[in-house]
Amino acid sequence: MCRYSVYTLVLLLFLLGFISKHHSKSTNPSKLLDLSAQSFRQILQSSRTCFVYFGKHVNPGIEAFLEQLEMSAHALEDYGIMVGKVRNHIIFNKYSSTLIALDQGAEVLRSFDVDTVFDVNAIVSHVLFSVLFNEVRYVHTPAELLAVERAARGTRDVVMGHIQVLGLPEHRALMEAAFVYGTKYQFVQTTGAPLLKHMGVADPASVPARLWFLHCSGVTHRSEPCPHTLMRKPLTTINIHTFLQLMEAPLLVEASVDPEEVNVVFSHLNVPVLFLFTQSETMQLDRDTAQSVARRLRGEVGVVLIHRDNLGVKTALKYNAVYQLPQEEVRYLSLKNTDEVVNLFREQLEEEEEADEDEGDEDQWSSLDVLDDEVAESVYRDRGLTLDTDSLSELTDQTFSTAVTQSRLMVVLFYLKWDAVSMAFLQSYLEVAEALEGVGGVELGSVDCGEWTVICRDQNITSFPSVLLYHSTHPPQRYRGMLGTTSLHRFLLSQVPSPVFLSSSAEVLSFLEGDLYNTHSTLTPIRVLGLYLPTDTDVLVFEEAAQSLRGEIILGLFVHEEAQRWADEHSVMLPALLVSRGSGIQPEAHSLSSSSSSTSSTSSTSQDLLSQIQRFTLDPFPELGVENLPGYVEVGKPLLVLFVGGEESVEVLQSLEEMRKAQSTGHLHSSLPCWIHLGRTPAGRSVLESYLGFVPPLPALVLSQLNTGGEVFHFPPERPLLAAEIIQWLQRVQNGQEPPAGMISDEAWGPPVPFYNFLSVMDEEAPGYAAQRSHKTKPGAKRGSERGAEHNSPQTSPQTSPQPPPHTEL
Amino acid sequence: MTEGAAMVRVLMELVLAILCLLSVVSRVLSVSGEHYGINKTHHHDYCILGAGPAGLQMGYFLSRSHRDYIILERNTGPGSFFQRYPRHRKLISINKIYTGRQNKEFNLRHDWNSLLSDQPDLLFQRVSEDLYPHADAYPLYLSMFERELGLRVKYATDIGKVRAADFTGSKGYILTDQHGADYKCRVLFVCTGLWVPQQVDFVGSDLVEGYESIPTDPEDYKNQAVLILGKGNSAFETAQSILGRASRIHMYSPSPVRLAWKTHYVGDLRAVNNELLDTYQLKSLDGLVEGGLEDIAIVRRGQDGGKSRRTGGKKRTVKSTERKEQFYLTLSELLDNRNSNKSGNITAENLPGYHDDNFSLRQPYDRVIRCLGFRFNFSIYDGSARLLHSSCARGRLPALTAWYEGRGTPNLFVLGTAAHSRDYRMSAGGFIHGFRYTVRAVHKVLEQRYHNIAWPATRLSTSQLLSWILKRVNEASGPYQMFGVLGDVILLQGSHCEYLEEFPVQAMPQLSTLSGRLVSEHGLLVLVMQYGLNRTDTLGPGRAESEWTKAWKSNFLHPVIYYYRKLPTEKDMKQRPVGWPLPRPDAVHHMVEDFLTEWDQPISHSQPLRHFLEHCLQTDLRAFYAESCFRLSLTSRKPPLFCQQGYLNKQGFVGNSHLWQHAREAGLMPAHQGSVTPAGDGTFSEFLTHAGAAVTSTINFDL
């Protein structure tokens, strides 16, 4: 959105010269210039950047503003920008009641409303932002940031500032820093919450302005992310300056003099300094420790490693750390571990934050009582709902074996009541059962594995929910399709013998044309025919594969001398597969023998043949949807996706046609061309948005290197979507001439919530309870706790007191 | 898998055939060498000593895996212990038939008598429907078990001597029966139980009657004052049976009564037998006293003798003249040297009441009964077959490894009640409902050690682990009965895991050797059931915890899952925190105790467990609808595991618009702008009416 607003505001842009923000040979001591028509024209001809106010009325409000303008004239002078006001009517008419920033060469860079540039901070930040428009990248989504990171990788570091509202002092500080350091670092400005999440901020809503330093220059590998350091102080010019200096300073400084005498860069930067010690024997170890501490305190504290071996070092051995706050005495400490060191500073630096965090902790754990799993939550919300399971037969130990042997087709759902996916799927399963009521020969049943554990064990069910098909004559078949109403319903309706044995060429023809089993053509138009000679024993492999594909694809088998004629007709060698995509479409032919030279591997597994068949039946230019995506992702090629909008316009049809055309040239073979209809697959919209950071005008063509590098390329929307252009663009992408428009996250999905650590709770509430015994203490000899005593008592030997047995009525 | 098993079986048969051949040869040799041809030598891979519940249980597992085994029993039927014990003939093991559930595994949690088998109806309830059945039912059940499973038992074979021998490099055992016949066994299981009455040697211990021989007719105790030594279940059982007849029952032993319902140890006093606690606390003449047994003396003092000296006005308690003499409890140090135990010589000074006028047990008794339990019979093991005494249970039990092999006697295992030293006073390993599972565990160890068959494991997708753990937690009887001792082990292997059931957790350091399964760099989980700290009053307020965040304070039996990155070592095990079954893990999860023992609730049980697993596996284990997986698969190169293992495997889970709506309202699924009515459901109903109608008439399910 901001992007567009930027475009629309730069209406009056007529840039003639080059921007050179460093020239500051100001001849005129910068005050607010009152410009006449002539002096304004002069300025237009000079090569100065100028910020000019046009206005004629003077009221109290404007007066206050002019004061701010006056102040900004001082501030902007440092950046070589003149500030003036114009009251001339002629000029005023031309530019109306706005402020404009003029760049050298009299091009209007941008115009502002007084509301936008309300005070000196707003003026400075907006003017600088306009001037630096080409240097400072404005990003909104993680993908955009990744693109910036990619460009910077190995060359320079990135400074990213998050500003909630433009024009505040933080914005000014960031822009001022960008003006100074803009050539050294790539500056990035963002206002968006998505990026905060990306940077690991848990609650983006309540975050003040922030600044990150992304250490990209040292990153060489493409896929490696840039490590980043968060500036923990408020965004002010001086803090940013100090922070950037610290980023430049070495991570760890080493010295051989006493802490009090050390003179390092940190002392000049007014930051706390921590001194750690080492001696020659433990040098490497100490250095590693110091480095890890330094890394954790980076940007806040300077870390110096002192070599004790030098005689100049007088710090007593009992101290292992020294720290010095700016303008304060050094303090000596003995610390036990690195956490303690870090905490020392964290406590001081974040005293006020701590209180907040404690509260946050409480919230955090109570928030764990909210279900964070979409399936579990939606099932939980249905907890008041009782499912009507009348259309299902609930099978038991007693009824199971007869049910599965007596029905011609018994479909059984194995589920667990506490498994959310099981219970959610049960709803779909019931829908299928209701839809199939009255369909002869097929019956749906269910087994609650929480109750009938023996059945589930005997049926080898290790995954819930599972759907098994029991044909009276075949071994049980596991349903391996999508667990959804439509898929399962279609699967069950497509239960024809697999393979269909064909005995004559006439039958083959009828099979391929879809006449045979024509009722099923609406379900799956695809037919696969195996052609084998009667002498070929591999036909058994085909039969096995066909059995496992039952319900998914309708397969025919023609074992006949005449198979040769069919093969010749399609110019393939036997054995062969014919794939028909519907009546009237020429079937595709694939030879099975040519794919593998040795006979042993052909006959090796039906699994190979099965996946081969599945590959052959894939659509060459599929419409991707929720249901079929997996089959195409499996191919492993980059996806060349055409995103089309909800309505079927001529434009959509044309672009699809162009894609087909491009494909027919054979130049798209390195990718998988496909399309997503955002009306039918609304989730595609968020995919597109995630790729590019915004939803571009549709149709949009995107190359998504899902399995190869993770880059996303966007076909330039200004170019016409024509076959030739597509091919050319792909070529440029391959040659690395196109910049990626986004990145697909490579991050693994870690735990979604912080871990509730019982061990640390125990350690805190019952010290020693969860601690390993030290080898010295004997069991039970530990502490006088009740527990210890209780465990001890059975072992105590019988009393040997010489006293009469005491009357101890307990 | 079955193929593999079949092959192994074929191999085993081959091996056995060779063994048979060898044994024939050796028999021929031995016969020719000996003069007494009747003394045959029998060879077996496995010998089981004793046809009680443990012996038959092991016999079943060996027979199921087609091993060469024999069960040797000196009596003529199985379970002879139960022919005599408990003396008052009431079993106190729960036989709960009606649980409201049909789950056979779950029901075993409340069936303490049945043995394990693959016959679903070979349960104890076939012989008795009583919650506390008559003891006669037990041998009946065992006979049925032995008969229906066709177990090989040789009755009337009394093994008097067990010695070790070297069988081609490994230690084996030779058993000799009453006829002098030898049984050479590669592996020996001692399942002889505990039947030697435990006795304590004190002055006058010969005057005491034993639990094993007392009359059980209450009439025999009419108006008698009875002192019972012991406060266990047999002591209270005895007390209970005579409560209505005896005039006074005192119970004396070193430790105070421990109530099973307080300690969760079924060997402690069960409420079934505890009526005497009532009469004691309501001051109705019965009582409990604590004191050592070694230093006491029981003395007999004739009534006449007493009378002649008691001339004064002391009150007389027993007026009956039928009894010649009565027994006094005194201290051995109060007796005169040399002439102890002679009734005539006992004087008032020898009795504690003389020195301490309100001494609790100052009155005489008509009977003193010893009910101190039983001990293992160590006497038949010779030389290197000798079993060591365990340090627990006053040395009554043999010392064993965590996998129930005798310490110092390789290939000799002790099973059943005698194996209780592993979890004495901790768990149920000394009782049928516990050791039936340890026997199964030992059998799995044997299969690995002697036949190279690894511990059975279920291979699971990691995305299915949560459901599977919940399944076990909600039904498994082994870890439930053998809490803290047998635990399920889950070997993590990235996208998959191997689930091993009921491993003896004390043997965790030897997991790989014992089970034949390897621990990968992903580490392992151990699931055990545990009682809690027991810090509160068992029946008092605050005894139950319901907050899952405080689950570690649960007092009742609840599941605990330990996560280790590496297998714990022997040293870790030794130094484990006090009262813990396992060493301090890298992470632990307690599932909060549940009043119904149903750990299946989404917020309190399932989600916290998932979060724990997510932490251990460092991965997101949430479930996603196919639409979410679609989005995540296109926008992430490493989509969540659920999408990888389900959706991308073409087995995504679709859901319906009703459920999506819930998820969207909860903010867990992004809402789509514009077309909120999803294509799936709307078009589906349309699709159904078309396709369904078209197909109904013509579909033909040819098969």
Side-chain angles (χ1 to χ4, degrees), chain A residues 379-391:
Chain A
V379 170
Y380 186 62
R381 285 185 177 224
D382 261 355
R383 62 193 181 280
L385 191 86
T386 321
L387 291 177
D388 173 20
T389 53
D390 286 353
S391 47

Side-chain angles (χ1 to χ4, degrees), chain A residues 371 376-377 380 383 418 420, chain B residues 600-609:
Chain A
L371 293 177
E377 171 67 19
Y380 186 62
R383 62 193 181 280
W418 55 79
Chain B
D600 57 0
Q601 294 304 301
I603 293 172
S604 297
H605 303 131
S606 180
Q607 175 157 293
L609 174 61

Side-chain angles (χ1 to χ4, degrees), chain A residues 213-450:
Chain A
F213 191 90
L214 284 73
H215 307 263
C216 289
S217 60
V219 177
T220 47
H221 200 267
R222 279 172 51 137
S223 60
E224 229 175 286
C226 304
H228 59 256
T229 308
L230 170 69
M231 181 169 117
R232 288 175 184 270
K233 289 186 175 168
L235 251 68
T236 66
T237 313
I238 187 74
N239 282 345
I240 297 178
H241 170 75
T242 310
F243 180 70
L244 292 178
Q245 292 290 314
L246 274 174
M247 293 296 105
E248 284 301 301
L251 186 63
L252 181 68
V253 175
E254 301 195 17
S256 310
V257 290
D258 211 48
E260 310 212 25
E261 293 156 30
V262 170
N263 187 6
V264 286
V265 58
F266 309 122
S267 347
H268 310 301
L269 288 170
N270 256 346
V271 290
V273 186
L274 171 72
F275 302 91
L276 298 171
F277 295 90
T278 184
Q279 42 213 346
S280 49
E281 299 87 56
T282 57
M283 183 96 76
Q284 201 45 52
L285 200 68
D286 294 334
R287 193 173 281 152
D288 289 346
T289 313
Q291 266 172 358
S292 84
V293 171
R295 214 164 281 129
R296 291 173 68 180
L297 291 171
R298 195 169 199 181
E300 298 165 83
V301 178
V303 181
V304 180
L305 187 65
I306 306 276
H307 293 256
R308 265 196 214 272
D309 302 322
N310 192 293
L311 293 173
V313 181
K314 293 188 263 321
T315 309
L317 278 172
K318 61 176 174 173
Y319 301 116
N320 56 12
V322 173
Y323 81 98
Q324 183 174 30
L325 296 176
Q327 278 91 46
E328 279 186 41
E329 287 295 297
V330 292
R331 289 181 218 180
Y332 293 88
L333 300 161
S334 311
L335 299 171
K336 285 187 212 73
N337 54 45
T338 55
D339 286 340
E340 222 175 310
V341 181
V342 173
N343 288 342
L344 185 74
F345 286 96
R346 282 284 145 79
E347 273 162 29
Q348 270 165 349
L349 297 166
E350 294 173 14
E351 262 166 15
E352 67 280 19
E353 277 177 44
E354 214 169 81
D356 297 350
E357 266 171 30
D358 270 358
E359 265 172 44
D361 273 8
E362 293 280 306
D363 290 349
Q364 199 177 30
W365 301 133
S366 67
S367 78
L368 291 187
D369 281 346
V370 177
L371 293 177
D372 57 12
D373 177 306
E374 60 189 43
V375 181
E377 171 67 19
S378 42
V379 170
Y380 186 62
R381 285 185 177 224
D382 261 355
R383 62 193 181 280
L385 191 86
T386 321
L387 291 177
D388 173 20
T389 53
D390 286 353
S391 47
L392 284 187
S393 38
E394 287 173 65
L395 303 176
T396 68
D397 274 355
Q398 290 80 41
T399 57
F400 180 80
S401 53
T402 42
V404 298
T405 46
Q406 289 190 347
S407 306
R408 266 200 291 178
L409 175 60
M410 183 81 207
V411 186
V412 183
L413 165 68
F414 295 88
Y415 70 100
L416 288 172
K417 277 191 172 143
W418 55 79
D419 175 51
V421 178
S422 286
M423 292 319 281
F425 178 65
L426 188 58
Q427 297 191 1
S428 306
Y429 193 72
L430 283 166
E431 283 166 19
V432 175
E434 274 158 33
L436 288 177
E437 240 168 346
V439 175
V442 56
E443 204 179 325
L444 271 72
S446 63
V447 174
D448 174 2
C449 289

Side-chain angles (χ1 to χ4, degrees), chain A residues 24-34 48 70 72-78 80-84:
Chain A
S24 54
K25 288 171 264 165
S26 69
T27 47
N28 204 346
S30 109
K31 294 276 172 282
L32 178 63
L33 303 173
D34 206 341
R48 295 286 303 272
E70 172 79 44
S72 64
H74 287 278
L76 285 172
E77 192 201 1
D78 295 344
I81 297 167
M82 290 195 296
V83 179

